[in-house]
Amino acid sequence: MAAHNEAGEKGEKWALEHLREKGYEILDTNWRFGKAEIDIIARSGHYLCFVEVKLRANNWAGEPYQFVGRQKQQLLIRAADRYIRRFGADR
């Protein structure tokens, strides 16, 4: 496995631990729809949360959210919509 893939897995594990510590219920991980993958789907109270994990060693090149461009956002929105249609918001 490439180093960046290993780092990505580690970042996702850290994110899962953090969300669990904050009381989120993890519903799915690495959920795929077409070309899109949602790293973490979690619930907190009445909120259904779709999480994109970005691991960075530092912020010198920008904040992690700046690396989720318009195309990636559209893919994630379509995937989240499909997830809700398939499983319902109550899942």
Side-chain angles (χ1 to χ4, degrees):
M1 180 180 294
H4 72 280
N5 290 340
E6 289 178 15
E9 281 187 17
K10 186 178 284 189
E12 288 182 20
K13 286 180 183 177
W14 287 340
L16 284 168
E17 289 174 19
H18 176 75
L19 290 170
R20 285 185 180 117
E21 287 173 3
K22 296 293 183 183
Y24 286 75
E25 175 188 0
I26 305 303
L27 303 177
D28 271 305
T29 59
N30 303 315
W31 193 82
R32 293 187 150 295
F33 172 68
K35 295 180 180 179
E37 178 182 49
I38 300 174
D39 294 329
I40 301 170
I41 302 171
R43 181 181 18 234
S44 177
H46 296 292
Y47 294 98
L48 190 57
C49 306
F50 298 92
V51 181
E52 173 69 10
V53 177
K54 291 291 185 194
L55 179 66
R56 296 283 185 254
N58 57 53
N59 292 345
W60 67 268
E63 296 294 327
Y65 71 87
Q66 293 173 306
F67 294 92
V68 181
R70 189 171 301 269
Q71 183 177 5
K72 176 73 170 184
Q73 290 174 24
Q74 290 302 314
L75 285 172
L76 292 172
I77 289 166
R78 276 182 276 202
D81 181 63
R82 175 55 66 143
Y83 186 91
I84 291 168
R85 289 174 188 266
R86 182 170 179 189
F87 298 109
D90 291 339
R91 182 180 177 198

